[in-house]
Structures are given as C-alpha cells and as structure tokens.
Amino acid sequence: MTGVPASAAGGSGAKPVRGGKLGTAAVNQASLWNIANILTMVRLLLVPGFVLLLFHNGGYDPAWRSFAWAAFAIAMITDLFDGHLARTYNLVTDFGKIADPIADKAIMGAALVSLSVLGDLPWWITGVIIARELGITLMRFWVIRHAVIPASRGGKLKTLAQGTAVGMYVLALTGPLATLRFWVMMVAVVLTVVTGLDYVRQAVVLRRRGLAAERAAAVERAAEAAEALRAVAGTTARGTGAAGSAAVAGATDVRCGTSDVPGGTTDVRGAGTDMRGAGTDVRGTAEARDAAEAER
C-alpha cells in the first residue's frame, strides 16, 4: 500500500523506459495481461486463501497460521514487485489503477479484521488503520482531477511497519516476541496517523492549487475570447467605414455632374444667340449688295 497504484505507474509495455513520464497513448497501449497486472490478480486471489488458512482448525493451530503467514508475506512481496515492474516497463492499464489499491487494502484489511475476530488484536487498532486507509483512498479520488498525491517516504515506512506488525501477529508467537510485536504495531499505528494527517494536508493544498489554476485558465480564456470579439468588431467597423466613404464620394461626383449640366445648357443657349447674330449679319450684307446694284 504505497499510495500510488503499483500497476498504474508505467506505460506502453513495448520498451523499457526508466524514469519516463506517462502519456495517454501509453495508457491505452498497455496490455491487460502484463506481469504487473498478473501479480495484482495473484494478490487478490491470496486474500480468501489467507483467511481460510488463518481460520483453519479453529484459528489457533501454529502450523496453519504459519501457512497463513506465508500467504500474507507473498501478497505483500508481490505488491513490491508489481510496483517495481510497472515503473520500470511502463505497464499501466485502467485495471491496474483500480485493482492494485483494492488488492493492497483487501489483504491488509482481511488480516486486521481476522486477527481482531480471533481476539489477538484490539479492535481499536483495526479501526484506526482501516479508517485511515479508506479515508486516504477517498481523498485521492477527491483531488484526482487536480493532481495525484505522491507516495511519501513516511507512507512507505508506514506500509513496512504495518506489514511487519501484522505478519508477527499472524504467527503464533509467545514470550518476548509477542511483546515485541505489540510495540511494532504501536509504531505502525503512530505512522498510520501521522502520515494520514500529512496526506490530508497535501490533498487540501493540491486541491486549492488546482482550483486556482482552473480559475486562472478560465480568466485567460475569457480574455482571449473578448480580444477576438474586439478584433472582429474592429474589422467590421473598418469595412463599413470604407463602404460609406465610397458612397459619399459617388454622391458628390453625381452632384458635380449635375451642376455641370446647367452650365452646359447656358453654353448651348449662348451658341444659339451667336448663330442668330450671324444670321442677321448675313441678311444685312445681302441688303447692302442689292442697294448697290440699284444705284448702278
């Protein structure tokens, strides 16, 4: 139970990529039947097997409890291996994202509840650990849209302490070892509470940052949209202004042409007057010629 789904820590599965970041394409290309997912499935199948072994023959048979401890140890080890393989070979699937944390919580929850039912572990310890694990899981879903809460070093220590303490309780220990397992469990409980509070703090901070980033992005998009609208409006206004200027210029030309027509008409009338004057001169010349002929 490392905080980040083990099978969800990688990508395409086609080529080992160490330390690489995941993308959407990698998530879609990974095969369901990869080694990381198979180990997760094995861990899920070990949960009912572990419970049956623990309660076999009344739940207090040292031999059967040793078998139960072996099943529990295998489940915890596969959690480490599938996480390492997923991170190394980018083996990520939607199934792994969901199944891996379920397998982690299932094996630990089954062990805690079974030990409390047998009377080996106080119920308040079981309640504190299970409440913390369920609460952190729900909190991860609460902030998953904004960010992913990374697994901290304290969280890894908590997982190691819980696994060690529960494993010691599964075994039928007596004497000093029985006393030692109680103190190991107390350390696990303290780490469980402290790391849980730290996860709550991280979740609140990450959610606030995510919401602030979303608001900033929304404001930026609104500003870009407003700028685009202003640009469109300016282009339309310039086009309308140019068309109006052309219309005014055309009307002016028409008026100028109309003003020129009366002048032209006046010129025509003047030309008519000149022609009539010329006609009078011609008639006067003809009469003078007739008078000269009569005198001769």
Side-chain angles (χ1 to χ4, degrees):
M1 298 187 294
T2 57
V4 176
S7 302
S12 63
K15 180 181 179 182
V17 179
R18 297 182 181 274
K21 293 184 178 180
L22 299 181
T24 303
V27 173
N28 294 333
Q29 292 174 6
S31 171
L32 173 65
W33 296 101
N34 60 63
I35 185 63
N37 284 347
I38 291 174
L39 290 176
T40 300
M41 295 177 196
V42 169
R43 194 159 69 256
L44 284 170
L45 293 175
L46 283 172
V47 175
F50 162 77
V51 174
L52 290 175
L53 291 171
L54 183 62
F55 281 95
H56 189 75
N57 199 19
Y60 297 100
D61 188 317
W64 286 103
R65 291 190 70 146
S66 297
F67 293 144
W69 177 88
F72 179 80
I74 292 173
M76 299 303 294
I77 292 173
T78 56
D79 181 28
L80 299 177
F81 273 105
D82 68 1
H84 174 73
L85 292 171
R87 286 187 294 271
T88 302
Y89 296 99
N90 288 343
L91 303 175
V92 61
T93 61
D94 291 335
F95 171 81
K97 292 179 181 180
I98 298 172
D100 185 80
I102 290 177
D104 294 341
K105 305 299 185 293
I107 188 65
M108 184 60 68
L112 291 168
V113 172
S114 299
L115 290 171
S116 294
V117 169
L118 290 173
D120 293 336
L121 187 67
W123 276 104
W124 70 267
I125 294 178
T126 298
V128 168
I129 295 177
I130 291 179
R132 185 269 189 194
E133 298 300 335
L134 292 178
I136 295 303
T137 300
L138 294 176
M139 190 162 294
R140 288 183 184 279
F141 284 109
W142 182 54
V143 300
I144 195 171
R145 189 167 64 91
H146 306 288
V148 176
I149 304 176
S152 63
R153 184 172 300 177
K156 295 177 181 179
L157 289 175
K158 178 268 306 178
T159 301
L160 178 61
Q162 283 183 358
T164 303
V166 170
M168 293 178 72
Y169 269 90
V170 171
L171 292 171
L173 300 179
T174 58
L177 290 178
T179 303
L180 177 62
R181 71 183 182 183
F182 171 79
W183 291 110
V184 174
M185 180 60 75
M186 290 300 100
V187 171
V189 170
V190 171
L191 289 174
T192 298
V193 174
V194 172
T195 56
L197 294 175
D198 183 61
Y199 275 123
V200 171
R201 180 191 61 80
Q202 290 187 58
V204 172
V205 171
L206 290 174
R207 183 173 173 80
R208 286 178 179 174
R209 289 177 181 174
L211 292 175
E214 287 182 356
R215 286 194 293 268
V219 171
E220 184 177 354
R221 288 194 299 268
E224 291 176 355
E227 184 65 26
L229 289 175
R230 283 196 295 271
V232 172
T235 303
T236 305
R238 286 195 297 272
T240 304
S245 299
V248 171
T252 303
D253 292 342
V254 170
R255 286 196 300 273
C256 291
T258 304
S259 299
D260 292 343
V261 170
T265 304
T266 303
D267 293 339
V268 171
R269 286 198 299 269
T273 303
D274 292 340
M275 291 176 65
R276 286 194 298 273
T280 303
D281 293 340
V282 172
R283 285 194 299 273
T285 303
E287 290 176 356
R289 203 170 40 249
D290 292 340
E293 291 288 338
E295 289 179 356
R296 284 195 299 268

Short mmCIF file of all heavy atoms in Angstrom, two decimals, residues 34-58:
data_model
loop_
_atom_site.label_atom_id
_atom_site.label_comp_id
_atom_site.label_asym_id
_atom_site.label_seq_id
_atom_site.Cartn_x
_atom_site.Cartn_y
_atom_site.Cartn_z
N ASN A 34 -0.34 -8.16 -18.53
CA ASN A 34 1.09 -7.94 -18.32
C ASN A 34 1.46 -8.45 -16.93
O ASN A 34 0.60 -8.74 -16.11
CB ASN A 34 1.45 -6.46 -18.50
CG ASN A 34 0.72 -5.55 -17.53
OD1 ASN A 34 0.89 -5.65 -16.32
ND2 ASN A 34 -0.11 -4.66 -18.06
N ILE A 35 2.76 -8.56 -16.68
CA ILE A 35 3.23 -9.20 -15.45
C ILE A 35 2.79 -8.44 -14.20
O ILE A 35 2.47 -9.05 -13.18
CB ILE A 35 4.78 -9.34 -15.48
CG1 ILE A 35 5.26 -10.12 -14.27
CG2 ILE A 35 5.45 -7.99 -15.59
CD1 ILE A 35 4.77 -11.53 -14.21
N ALA A 36 2.73 -7.11 -14.29
CA ALA A 36 2.31 -6.33 -13.12
C ALA A 36 0.86 -6.63 -12.77
O ALA A 36 0.51 -6.82 -11.59
CB ALA A 36 2.51 -4.84 -13.40
N ASN A 37 -0.01 -6.68 -13.78
CA ASN A 37 -1.42 -6.98 -13.51
C ASN A 37 -1.61 -8.41 -13.04
O ASN A 37 -2.48 -8.69 -12.20
CB ASN A 37 -2.25 -6.73 -14.77
CG ASN A 37 -2.50 -5.26 -15.03
OD1 ASN A 37 -2.26 -4.42 -14.16
ND2 ASN A 37 -2.96 -4.94 -16.22
N ILE A 38 -0.82 -9.34 -13.57
CA ILE A 38 -0.93 -10.74 -13.14
C ILE A 38 -0.58 -10.87 -11.66
O ILE A 38 -1.25 -11.57 -10.90
CB ILE A 38 -0.03 -11.64 -14.01
CG1 ILE A 38 -0.61 -11.71 -15.43
CG2 ILE A 38 0.09 -13.03 -13.41
CD1 ILE A 38 0.28 -12.45 -16.42
N LEU A 39 0.48 -10.17 -11.23
CA LEU A 39 0.83 -10.20 -9.81
C LEU A 39 -0.26 -9.58 -8.95
O LEU A 39 -0.53 -10.05 -7.83
CB LEU A 39 2.16 -9.47 -9.59
CG LEU A 39 3.41 -10.17 -10.15
CD1 LEU A 39 4.64 -9.29 -9.95
CD2 LEU A 39 3.60 -11.53 -9.49
N THR A 40 -0.91 -8.53 -9.46
CA THR A 40 -2.03 -7.94 -8.72
C THR A 40 -3.18 -8.92 -8.58
O THR A 40 -3.79 -9.03 -7.51
CB THR A 40 -2.50 -6.66 -9.43
OG1 THR A 40 -1.42 -5.73 -9.50
CG2 THR A 40 -3.67 -6.02 -8.70
N MET A 41 -3.46 -9.67 -9.66
CA MET A 41 -4.53 -10.68 -9.60
C MET A 41 -4.18 -11.79 -8.61
O MET A 41 -5.05 -12.27 -7.86
CB MET A 41 -4.75 -11.27 -10.99
CG MET A 41 -5.28 -10.29 -12.02
SD MET A 41 -5.41 -11.07 -13.65
CE MET A 41 -5.57 -9.62 -14.69
N VAL A 42 -2.90 -12.18 -8.60
CA VAL A 42 -2.47 -13.21 -7.65
C VAL A 42 -2.69 -12.72 -6.22
O VAL A 42 -3.15 -13.48 -5.34
CB VAL A 42 -0.99 -13.57 -7.89
CG1 VAL A 42 -0.45 -14.43 -6.75
CG2 VAL A 42 -0.84 -14.30 -9.22
N ARG A 43 -2.38 -11.45 -5.98
CA ARG A 43 -2.58 -10.89 -4.63
C ARG A 43 -4.05 -10.87 -4.25
O ARG A 43 -4.40 -11.14 -3.09
CB ARG A 43 -1.97 -9.48 -4.57
CG ARG A 43 -1.81 -8.98 -3.15
CD ARG A 43 -0.79 -7.87 -3.05
NE ARG A 43 -1.21 -6.64 -3.67
CZ ARG A 43 -0.75 -6.19 -4.85
NH1 ARG A 43 0.11 -6.92 -5.54
NH2 ARG A 43 -1.16 -5.04 -5.34
N LEU A 44 -4.91 -10.58 -5.20
CA LEU A 44 -6.35 -10.62 -4.91
C LEU A 44 -6.81 -12.04 -4.58
O LEU A 44 -7.63 -12.24 -3.68
CB LEU A 44 -7.13 -10.08 -6.12
CG LEU A 44 -7.13 -8.56 -6.32
CD1 LEU A 44 -7.73 -8.19 -7.68
CD2 LEU A 44 -7.89 -7.87 -5.20
N LEU A 45 -6.30 -13.03 -5.31
CA LEU A 45 -6.68 -14.43 -5.04
C LEU A 45 -6.13 -14.92 -3.71
O LEU A 45 -6.70 -15.84 -3.10
CB LEU A 45 -6.18 -15.33 -6.19
CG LEU A 45 -6.84 -15.10 -7.55
CD1 LEU A 45 -6.18 -15.96 -8.61
CD2 LEU A 45 -8.34 -15.38 -7.48
N LEU A 46 -5.03 -14.35 -3.27
CA LEU A 46 -4.44 -14.77 -1.99
C LEU A 46 -5.26 -14.32 -0.80
O LEU A 46 -5.12 -14.89 0.30
CB LEU A 46 -3.01 -14.23 -1.86
CG LEU A 46 -1.93 -14.95 -2.66
CD1 LEU A 46 -0.61 -14.19 -2.59
CD2 LEU A 46 -1.75 -16.38 -2.16
N VAL A 47 -6.13 -13.32 -0.97
CA VAL A 47 -6.90 -12.81 0.16
C VAL A 47 -7.82 -13.88 0.74
O VAL A 47 -7.74 -14.18 1.95
CB VAL A 47 -7.70 -11.55 -0.24
CG1 VAL A 47 -8.60 -11.11 0.91
CG2 VAL A 47 -6.75 -10.43 -0.63
N PRO A 48 -8.70 -14.50 -0.06
CA PRO A 48 -9.54 -15.55 0.56
C PRO A 48 -8.71 -16.76 1.01
O PRO A 48 -9.05 -17.40 2.02
CB PRO A 48 -10.52 -15.93 -0.56
CG PRO A 48 -9.84 -15.50 -1.83
CD PRO A 48 -9.06 -14.28 -1.47
N GLY A 49 -7.63 -17.07 0.27
CA GLY A 49 -6.78 -18.18 0.70
C GLY A 49 -6.14 -17.91 2.05
O GLY A 49 -6.07 -18.81 2.91
N PHE A 50 -5.70 -16.68 2.26
CA PHE A 50 -5.10 -16.31 3.54
C PHE A 50 -6.11 -16.46 4.68
O PHE A 50 -5.79 -17.00 5.75
CB PHE A 50 -4.59 -14.87 3.47
CG PHE A 50 -4.35 -14.24 4.81
CD1 PHE A 50 -3.22 -14.55 5.54
CD2 PHE A 50 -5.27 -13.34 5.34
CE1 PHE A 50 -3.00 -13.97 6.79
CE2 PHE A 50 -5.06 -12.77 6.58
CZ PHE A 50 -3.92 -13.08 7.30
N VAL A 51 -7.33 -16.00 4.48
CA VAL A 51 -8.36 -16.07 5.52
C VAL A 51 -8.67 -17.53 5.87
O VAL A 51 -8.79 -17.91 7.05
CB VAL A 51 -9.63 -15.31 5.08
CG1 VAL A 51 -10.75 -15.51 6.09
CG2 VAL A 51 -9.33 -13.83 4.90
N LEU A 52 -8.80 -18.39 4.84
CA LEU A 52 -9.09 -19.80 5.09
C LEU A 52 -7.96 -20.47 5.86
O LEU A 52 -8.20 -21.27 6.78
CB LEU A 52 -9.32 -20.51 3.75
CG LEU A 52 -10.60 -20.13 3.00
CD1 LEU A 52 -10.64 -20.83 1.64
CD2 LEU A 52 -11.84 -20.50 3.82
N LEU A 53 -6.74 -20.16 5.50
CA LEU A 53 -5.60 -20.75 6.21
C LEU A 53 -5.53 -20.27 7.66
O LEU A 53 -5.22 -21.05 8.58
CB LEU A 53 -4.29 -20.40 5.49
CG LEU A 53 -4.08 -21.07 4.12
CD1 LEU A 53 -2.86 -20.46 3.42
CD2 LEU A 53 -3.92 -22.59 4.28
N LEU A 54 -5.82 -18.99 7.88
CA LEU A 54 -5.74 -18.44 9.23
C LEU A 54 -6.78 -19.05 10.16
O LEU A 54 -6.51 -19.33 11.34
CB LEU A 54 -5.90 -16.92 9.17
CG LEU A 54 -5.75 -16.17 10.51
CD1 LEU A 54 -4.36 -16.37 11.09
CD2 LEU A 54 -6.04 -14.68 10.32
N PHE A 55 -8.00 -19.26 9.64
CA PHE A 55 -9.09 -19.77 10.49
C PHE A 55 -9.17 -21.30 10.49
O PHE A 55 -10.03 -21.85 11.17
CB PHE A 55 -10.43 -19.20 10.03
CG PHE A 55 -10.66 -17.79 10.49
CD1 PHE A 55 -10.35 -16.72 9.67
CD2 PHE A 55 -11.17 -17.54 11.75
CE1 PHE A 55 -10.56 -15.42 10.10
CE2 PHE A 55 -11.38 -16.25 12.19
CZ PHE A 55 -11.08 -15.18 11.37
N HIS A 56 -8.30 -21.94 9.73
CA HIS A 56 -8.37 -23.40 9.68
C HIS A 56 -8.05 -24.00 11.06
O HIS A 56 -7.16 -23.52 11.78
CB HIS A 56 -7.38 -23.94 8.64
CG HIS A 56 -7.54 -25.39 8.38
ND1 HIS A 56 -8.58 -25.92 7.63
CD2 HIS A 56 -6.79 -26.47 8.78
CE1 HIS A 56 -8.46 -27.21 7.57
NE2 HIS A 56 -7.38 -27.60 8.26
N ASN A 57 -8.82 -25.00 11.41
CA ASN A 57 -8.63 -25.74 12.68
C ASN A 57 -8.78 -24.81 13.89
O ASN A 57 -8.02 -24.89 14.86
CB ASN A 57 -7.25 -26.42 12.68
CG ASN A 57 -7.16 -27.54 13.71
OD1 ASN A 57 -8.17 -28.07 14.19
ND2 ASN A 57 -5.93 -27.91 14.08
N GLY A 58 -9.77 -23.92 13.79
CA GLY A 58 -10.10 -23.05 14.92
C GLY A 58 -9.34 -21.75 14.96
O GLY A 58 -9.63 -20.88 15.79
#
